[in-house]
Amino acid sequence: MDGAGGPGEGPAQEALQSLSRRLQVQEKEMELVKAALAEALRLLRLQAPPTSLQDPGTLGPPRDSSPAAPPGLPPTCSPSLVSRGTQTEAEVEVEPSPGPPGLSNGPPAPPGGSEEPSGTQSEGGGSSSSGTGSPGPPGILRLAQPPQRTDTPRRNSSSSSPSERPRQKLSRKAASSANLLLRSGSTESRGGKDPLSSPGGPGSRRSNYNLEGISVKMFLRGRPITMYIPSGIRSLEELPSGPPPETLSLDWVYGYRGRDSRSNLFVLRSGEVVYFIACVVVLYRPGGGPGGPGGGGQRHYRGHTDCVRCLAVHPDGVRVASGQTAGVDKDGKPLQPVVHVWDSETLLKLQEIGLGAFERGVGALAFSVADQGAFLCVVDDSNEHMLSVWDCSRGTKLAEIKSTNDSVLAVGFNPRDSSSIVTSGKSHVHFWNWNGGTGIPGNGTLTRKQGVFGKYKKPKFIPCFVFLPDGDILTGDSEGNILTWGRSLSDSRTPGRGGAKETYGIVAQAHAHEGSIFALCLRRDGTVLSGGGRDRRLVQWGPGLVALQEAEIPEHFGAVRAIAEGPGSELLVGTTKNALLRGDLAQGFSPVIQGHTDELWGLCTHPFQNRFLTCGHDRQLCLWDGEGHALAWSIDLKETGLCADFHPSGAVVAVGLNTGRWLVLDTETREIVSDITDGNEQLSVVRYSPDGLYLAIGSHDNMIYIYSVSSDGAKSSRFGRCVGHSSFITHLDWSKDGNFIMSNSGDYEILYWDVAGGCKLLRNRYESRDREWATYTCVLGFHVYGVWPDGSDGTDINSLCRSHNERVVAVADDFCKVHLFQYPCARAKAPSLVYGGHGSHVTSVRFTHDDSHLISLGGKDASIFQWRVLGAGGTGPVPTTPSRTPSLSPASSLDV
């Protein structure tokens, strides 16, 4: 046995001995590294007197128009000594473990040589150990930086011998491990909350601010971001605080939610057209004659906290009921679906019905008619599609029942009998009998009789129905048929559960449309209008379902979604491509409201006209007239448009697509004058220089492509590339002289580029602290870091824009809100004015050329809001000061 085991144990024993020897060698190397660090610290304390840092002649003059570098930095602190990836370090000592490679510059240490426990941070988001030096203010050195070492090995440098490389790597690994321990201690000191944990839990996301004498450091997802304070600011306390004097007032909403909703278009007694988009109910007053140009005006009911899904108008033509969907607020708390009953003349909420009683959302609404609108019927979006009846004046529930597991698309009271209710939807028509229970809340009963199709084909969907004056009911279905349901005595052998004496049965059928019928409308003269889906026809029917007249909606407007009768022969038609048309059957229809049909991202404003351009996932590029509140023109891009920018001349516009392709279009002829592709990833930002000589294109391939542009903007030629970001480009801005670029990336880098000097990365970011920027759309930077709320995870802010007069900053966040801050906004957790209305993440904001308006884009809600800027620098008086004084906390934002 022993002899057999001996040969097998020999190689294993040798391997163990080899590993033991290697471990001993590594331990000795660790001891050497520790000794070298200790010696470096000792020499630093002995050989770096404060007076040696004040020599102003150690640095050469700054090049070009860059601001002067910090005077007095010794040669070992020169930012050009060592290049590490995309950033520059004065001493390569460690490589951080968190964050992408190449992000290493950090803020200067405080005078006195104290060491930051959590490491230092580049102005781009990556972290390095506390011993890493950085371009900083005069008179500041890092403790862990060995003095006067010009032979420090560089990362990826070929000058290091092979025998030295393992020791260098081990040194960096040891320092990185020490830095990790220091970070752990910092996390514990913040109460044990992990800034990198997933959102949702209490304290799971945290932003920290660290103010220093020459720089500001904030944290996003645990990653420090350093920003240098301009030399003209002596103290952060002298910066403005409090919300701005300017305010916003919603001036116009572009778009109409016709793509995926019903019961969304009515005419009030005042003649205003009421419809909804996002969280806003719009009251539109048409201008001009039938079929003529738009105009008029808008008012807005903004009491909802999430997207509106359905409407109902009271028989008095004044009161309106609107139901919203469920949602969540920015803290993850659920927002419950609810119905608002409000006055269309005063825009005041009269009653809130069903808070906590509905699930998912409110799908359909109807007021009773026979008793002057005393009751409201509601169907929610739960699995059982609960049907409930409410007392409008008291807001109490009188009866409730599970209707069906199939979707319910329409509900209505019989106008002659409020005890009779009809619902229709997927493969069903239900006739309900309601017993009010003497008005006692919850004591009423609802009984159902199902419509029987008998010999007629049962359709997949019955989207709409209408009551006729004689008591019959017409339904429109997905087969294109209009069915007439008449009253008949119930069969005694199959009595209804409620013992109803009458029931409805099909008495006639007429094939009206090719494809589904989406809308039916009873006109004042007793005729009926039907709107088709696939065939886009609008047909007027007389008695006996005899076709009297018809018209076809142009294809680019989509199918008919809703019909409302205006004054005289005028009709209003909502379409599935989110357009609202006005006209009549004889003269045709023209659009008065238009919008996009899918998620929006691209936005730019004209340099000297009140016009703006939008693009998004619906592949449409649209130019809007902000004064006439109308669509000037639109073209099909064939691909998703994500960003755009006007040339300073206004003659052309550049549009970036999701394939790496970008176009330049003539704004007058709409012709494509340039079509170029850079890479194969989506483009996130395009921006012309203020003089129009360059075009910068930020891509998701981490590069910024620079093009030289002709004077008319029609021709472009590649000038260079800005290479150095370690993540995709998110935002960029040009300096006022058109020579430099500031850019942000997906990993929170802030980099500066000398474009005129050859697209070079400016490694000493301290030199850029006083540079003036023609625009400010970067979401990371000293002048705007105060817009970030406590708890941000780095994706909470989608867009930012400084006004041209440099007085305010508008912010688009991920929680459906638009914020207005003072500029510069360089105080932590600065207060703001907050404006709701969007029903999805706000993707972009831009001021018009004269700062009179602000444009904001909704994401999934496909809405465009035009806000009027009031107060100082805008049109209109400054509103009264809010009653409560905001404090420097995220809760200080004032909801408007």
Side-chain angles (χ1 to χ4, degrees), residues 118-446:
S118 61
T120 60
Q121 158 64 16
S122 74
E123 203 174 10
S127 59
S128 64
S129 77
S130 56
T132 303
S134 68
I140 293 178
L141 285 175
R142 288 291 181 192
L143 288 180
Q145 181 178 359
Q148 307 300 325
R149 288 184 58 183
T150 58
D151 57 345
T152 304
R154 306 183 184 187
R155 187 177 71 171
N156 300 330
S157 172
S158 59
S159 61
S160 301
S161 64
S163 62
E164 292 175 339
R165 289 172 186 161
R167 181 171 298 182
Q168 295 170 12
K169 293 180 180 179
L170 185 60
S171 172
R172 294 175 185 149
K173 184 175 181 180
S176 180
S177 300
N179 186 41
L180 183 60
L181 293 175
L182 290 172
R183 284 182 173 275
S184 177
S186 176
T187 302
E188 292 174 359
S189 69
R190 296 194 294 267
K193 297 177 181 178
D194 181 9
L196 295 178
S197 60
S198 61
S204 61
R205 298 181 296 170
R206 188 174 181 86
S207 295
N208 300 292
Y209 298 86
N210 182 24
L211 303 184
E212 301 183 10
I214 203 71
S215 66
V216 177
K217 181 163 66 175
M218 63 178 286
F219 289 79
L220 288 177
R221 296 186 66 86
R223 302 187 60 182
I225 302 169
T226 301
M227 295 152 286
Y228 291 106
I229 302 174
S231 59
I233 299 177
R234 293 170 295 180
S235 169
L236 296 182
E237 297 301 321
E238 69 185 31
L239 295 175
S241 62
E246 291 84 354
T247 61
L248 300 179
S249 173
L250 187 56
D251 181 40
W252 198 267
V253 177
Y254 299 84
Y256 152 84
R257 186 167 180 171
R259 179 185 55 174
D260 61 351
S261 67
R262 296 166 177 82
S263 301
N264 56 8
L265 182 64
F266 299 91
V267 177
L268 301 175
R269 187 178 67 182
S270 62
E272 291 175 301
V273 181
V274 58
Y275 60 93
F276 58 83
I277 182 172
C279 304
V280 177
V281 182
V282 181
L283 293 87
Y284 168 63
R285 184 178 63 258
Q298 283 186 357
R299 296 188 298 138
H300 311 96
Y301 176 75
R302 295 170 55 201
H304 287 282
T305 56
D306 214 295
C307 287
V308 181
R309 293 297 308 276
C310 53
L311 286 176
V313 175
H314 194 274
D316 64 11
V318 175
R319 282 175 283 178
V320 178
S322 50
Q324 73 173 52
T325 187
V328 294
D329 63 11
K330 67 177 183 178
D331 298 321
K333 297 179 181 179
L335 296 174
Q336 295 177 325
V338 68
V339 175
H340 288 187
V341 179
W342 46 279
D343 189 313
S344 64
E345 295 178 348
T346 63
L347 299 181
L348 295 178
K349 182 169 62 177
L350 305 175
Q351 192 70 255
E352 192 174 80
I353 292 178
L355 183 64
F358 309 127
E359 292 185 21
R360 298 182 185 169
V362 178
L365 291 169
F367 280 104
S368 61
V369 179
D371 45 25
Q372 290 76 48
F375 305 108
L376 180 70
C377 185
V378 183
V379 181
D380 72 5
D381 285 332
S382 64
N383 290 338
E384 297 83 10
H385 296 94
M386 301 299 294
L387 173 68
S388 55
V389 179
W390 299 76
D391 186 318
C392 292
S393 60
R394 300 177 183 177
T396 55
K397 181 165 57 178
L398 303 178
E400 184 179 42
I401 193 172
K402 297 178 181 178
S403 65
T404 176
N405 289 332
D406 294 324
S407 58
V408 177
L409 303 178
V411 64
F413 281 94
N414 189 319
R416 302 194 304 175
D417 180 8
S418 294
S419 66
S420 176
I421 300 174
V422 178
T423 60
S424 71
K426 183 179 180 181
S427 301
H428 75 271
V429 177
H430 289 163
F431 303 95
W432 301 86
N433 185 62
W434 170 53
N435 182 353
T438 67
I440 301 175
N443 200 32
T445 59
L446 285 159

Side-chain angles (χ1 to χ4, degrees), residues 55-99:
D55 180 12
T58 56
L59 288 180
R63 64 182 182 87
D64 301 332
S65 59
S66 302
L73 286 179
T76 54
C77 293
S78 170
S80 60
L81 272 179
V82 179
S83 174
R84 173 178 286 192
T86 62
Q87 308 288 343
T88 303
E89 295 191 4
E91 163 63 24
V92 176
E93 182 188 31
V94 297
E95 181 169 348
S97 55

